[in-house]
Amino acid sequence: MFGDMMNMMGKLKETQKKVEATKKRLDTVLIDESSNDDKLKITLTANRTIKSIEIDDELLVDKEQLTDYLIITLNRAIENATKVNEAELAAVAKEGMPNIPGMDLFK
């Protein structure tokens, strides 16, 4: 029994290390998002850090239009980055979780 508990604790520590490594790796995974007409392009990491924003000169004339473009495109980019982030971290966590009856957290 004690050996099983030690084994489980070892697996949990190993999983924690893998989760941390995955978080670091996600800093290098880039998500590109563009407005429908490609006048605004945004790149961010899967950890949701903005890396670049490209704005077509046409959008610089109308502040309200630029604001609308930024809100829509940034929200889509953040949503996509969040999906990638959560899927990657859930896969690592599920892989390292011990098989405890009734604890099907990642189904």
Side-chain angles (χ1 to χ4, degrees), residues 61-73:
V61 177
D62 185 346
K63 182 179 177 180
E64 188 175 327
Q65 183 183 22
L66 175 58
T67 301
D68 290 343
Y69 269 70
L70 283 167
I71 290 169
I72 292 167
T73 308

Side-chain angles (χ1 to χ4, degrees), residues 58-102:
E58 186 179 315
L59 290 177
L60 297 176
V61 177
D62 185 346
K63 182 179 177 180
E64 188 175 327
Q65 183 183 22
L66 175 58
T67 301
D68 290 343
Y69 269 70
L70 283 167
I71 290 169
I72 292 167
T73 308
L74 277 167
N75 281 333
R76 272 200 324 243
I78 291 167
E79 182 180 331
N80 290 337
T82 299
K83 286 178 185 176
V84 170
N85 183 290
E86 289 175 352
E88 292 285 329
L89 292 176
V92 171
K94 182 178 181 180
E95 173 187 309
M97 289 298 290
N99 189 15
I100 302 171

Side-chain angles (χ1 to χ4, degrees), residues 6-42:
M6 291 301 289
N7 187 28
M8 191 183 313
M9 292 301 291
K11 282 185 177 183
L12 288 174
K13 283 189 179 210
E14 183 180 320
T15 299
Q16 186 177 16
K17 286 181 184 178
K18 286 181 180 180
V19 165
E20 291 305 315
T22 300
K23 285 180 182 179
K24 282 186 179 181
R25 185 179 60 77
L26 289 173
D27 279 332
T28 65
V29 175
L30 299 178
I31 308 296
D32 294 314
E33 188 63 51
S34 300
S35 61
N36 291 336
D37 57 8
D38 285 334
K39 290 183 182 180
L40 179 67
K41 297 178 183 180
I42 297 172

